[in-house]
Amino acid sequence: MVSAAQAREKYDQLVDRYEEIFFYVGTVGQRLVEFAAPAPGSRVLDVGAGRGAVTRAALGLGCSVTAVDASPKMIARLVEDHPEVTGVAMDAAHLDFADGAFDLAAAGFVVQVLDDPAAVLGEVHRVLRPGGIVALSLETQSVGRLGWFQDLTLEFFAPSTEAGPPPPADDSTEQTGPLTHDRLDALLADTGFADVERLSIEMPVPITDPPALWDWLLPRGLAEIHGTLPEDRRAEFHTRFLAGAQTMHDDGGITLDFAATLHRARRP
């Protein structure tokens, strides 16, 4: 979870390569708007708009779009690309809009990075008209066949575990761990939304060989953590990474299994 200030700093830095790194946001933004099914002319609020995946999809259906994001640079670039959009740099937990101002509020891969998703959902509920729709996408947390990579990174980068293992996960709305699809549905209901629905989607990404996997992961966070290691440890990590990836390649090929859930609900 991140604060608004942390989100602003992070996404300001990623403005030029956001959809290159997070390759799936465009496809999921389109699927999310299709799932929400707004009518032409609907007033759409794109919360945490980023480079505009949801905005583009809503514009394509003839909607009127207002986009907000914690990052001023993201909003500036979005409005530059789409002058017909009203773009505002804004904290999603304090939406400066009138009650009932929108027919649809959508947020693509936003709720899982918020420090207080319940507060944001409360604001979304307020700015939707009665009968308005909220549509959210949530990235599925799954290690899958990359368990070897998780083990390798834990060995090289995790702090000491002398204090013992973490407590077991509790999937209640009070849980402080990663946001799950069940918790998100519960939060929507607790906020006062009705008719909560959910759709699962999968986005497999095939990778040709171990060096290609390394190159794919570098701009997605690997370069930053790898660079923190001493030179000898960097070399060892790289060698063992390639060995683990080769085992994965030989055992059915290297495929990254990205998945997400789409959530839709109605304000009564």
Side-chain angles (χ1 to χ4, degrees):
M1 304 299 179
V2 297
S3 67
Q6 290 170 325
R8 181 166 55 249
E9 179 180 358
K10 174 182 178 180
Y11 293 111
D12 272 352
Q13 295 172 353
L14 293 176
V15 65
D16 291 323
R17 54 196 181 106
Y18 179 75
E19 290 195 13
E20 174 188 350
I21 294 174
F22 303 104
F23 66 96
Y24 44 81
V25 297
T27 298
V28 178
Q30 182 70 43
R31 294 284 299 273
L32 182 63
V33 173
E34 292 172 355
F35 187 52
S42 293
R43 301 164 300 167
V44 175
L45 176 64
D46 185 358
V47 180
R51 288 300 305 275
V54 167
T55 290
R56 293 193 300 270
L59 289 173
L61 293 180
C63 299
S64 171
V65 180
T66 298
V68 300
D69 197 282
S71 164
K73 290 185 179 179
M74 286 283 191
I75 284 296
R77 186 66 61 84
L78 176 57
V79 173
E80 180 182 332
D81 292 341
H82 302 282
E84 68 272 40
V85 170
T86 299
V88 187
M90 188 180 296
D91 180 359
H94 301 90
L95 296 173
D96 190 17
F97 302 113
D99 295 359
F102 298 98
D103 304 301
L104 166 65
F109 296 125
V110 172
V111 285
Q112 70 255 29
V113 300
L114 298 170
D115 60 343
D116 190 354
V120 173
L121 290 178
E123 278 291 88
V124 166
H125 187 278
R126 179 184 64 79
V127 301
L128 280 172
R129 64 166 175 81
I133 298 296
V134 59
L136 312 166
S137 59
L138 179 68
E139 187 172 354
T140 300
Q141 303 285 334
S142 176
V143 175
R145 294 179 61 235
L146 281 174
W148 62 270
F149 179 53
Q150 182 185 66
D151 292 342
L152 184 65
T153 54
L154 285 173
E155 177 183 341
F156 276 74
F157 301 104
S160 171
T161 57
E162 292 179 359
D170 173 12
D171 199 36
S172 72
T173 56
E174 299 300 318
Q175 183 179 340
T176 57
L179 185 62
T180 66
H181 46 70
D182 288 333
R183 284 183 59 219
L184 180 52
D185 284 348
L187 282 172
L188 285 166
D190 290 345
T191 305
F193 286 102
D195 303 329
V196 179
E197 301 178 67
R198 186 167 77 203
L199 175 68
S200 297
I201 58 176
E202 296 181 356
M203 301 161 284
V205 178
I207 304 292
T208 55
D209 55 33
L213 179 61
W214 178 267
D215 291 341
W216 193 90
L217 289 170
L218 277 177
R220 294 168 171 84
L222 179 58
E224 286 81 359
I225 64 170
H226 187 241
T228 65
L229 294 172
E231 185 175 353
D232 59 334
R233 293 283 282 171
R234 288 201 302 270
E236 180 187 356
F237 182 89
H238 184 239
T239 298
R240 290 180 57 187
F241 175 94
L242 293 177
Q246 186 63 52
T247 298
M248 184 180 181
H249 183 271
D250 295 341
D251 185 25
I254 302 174
T255 300
L256 307 181
D257 298 318
F258 290 93
T261 51
L262 308 182
H263 302 251
R264 178 177 63 191
R266 177 181 57 85
R267 179 188 172 182

